[in-house]
Amino acid sequence: MIVINKHIHLNDKEVELHPMRAQGAGGQNVNKVSSAIHLRFDIVASSLSDAVKQRLLDSKDSRISKEGVLIIKAQQHRTQERNKLDAIERLKDFIKKGTEVSKTRTPTKPSRSAKRKRTDSKVQRGRTKALRGKVDFE
């Protein structure tokens, strides 16, 4: 059971974890040991609510395939267990971001005094720059 927050829990069967060989430096350990983890999470077939599923699928994340499967590859750590924990933690973070509803921005206008202060500062700045021009001694 993977606990996302107090309202959202995922069954272990919803997440597929496949060990594989890691890429990059690491010497003989990388060549012999399958320490990297390939996590696959089918968003469409999951037990999440429809609203959360839609928010996750609408996110422009490159890790989501066309079929709606989130693929996370964890290979930072030397051991398979730490990579497994890292992949699950990244899955939790991804789902938590999907549950957050962003506030809609209410457009505002600057006050009259704010506009006046802005134009006064621009005029003052222009005067300062005008004093930096060429000096004519004639």
Side-chain angles (χ1 to χ4, degrees):
M1 178 78 65
I2 299 172
V3 179
I4 307 299
N5 59 26
K6 59 184 175 182
H7 303 294
I8 300 175
H9 307 285
L10 293 178
N11 194 347
D12 290 335
K13 294 177 182 175
E14 295 182 54
V15 178
E16 295 177 26
L17 297 169
H18 299 287
M20 57 187 283
R21 290 189 183 152
Q23 296 172 330
Q28 195 168 358
N29 188 58
V30 170
N31 299 333
K32 292 177 75 174
V33 181
S34 297
S35 60
I37 293 291
H38 209 116
L39 182 143
R40 294 176 61 86
F41 176 66
D42 192 354
I43 298 171
V44 179
S46 68
S47 62
L48 297 172
S49 67
D50 290 336
V52 174
K53 284 183 191 179
Q54 196 58 45
R55 264 189 242 118
L56 291 176
L57 290 171
D58 288 343
S59 68
K60 303 291 186 218
D61 200 319
S62 62
R63 299 175 294 181
I64 300 176
S65 68
K66 292 176 185 173
E67 296 81 29
V69 178
L70 175 71
I71 300 169
I72 297 175
K73 185 175 180 184
Q75 62 179 6
Q76 280 187 313
H77 304 287
R78 287 179 60 87
T79 63
Q80 192 181 88
E81 189 61 35
R82 295 222 12 224
N83 282 327
K84 191 181 294 186
L85 293 173
D86 181 40
I88 292 172
E89 197 61 38
R90 285 162 51 189
L91 173 67
K92 287 181 185 179
D93 292 341
F94 178 74
I95 294 174
K96 281 180 189 175
K97 286 180 185 174
T99 59
E100 296 170 358
V101 180
S102 59
K103 288 184 181 179
T104 56
R105 182 187 173 277
T106 54
T108 58
K109 293 183 179 181
S111 64
R112 190 179 300 153
S113 66
K115 288 180 184 177
R116 191 183 69 247
K117 285 179 187 177
R118 180 175 165 270
T119 54
D120 289 348
S121 68
K122 286 170 76 84
V123 167
Q124 181 61 37
R125 183 84 174 138
R127 287 181 187 149
T128 304
K129 287 190 171 195
L131 291 173
R132 295 182 189 155
K134 281 193 171 183
V135 179
D136 193 16
F137 291 111
E138 292 182 48

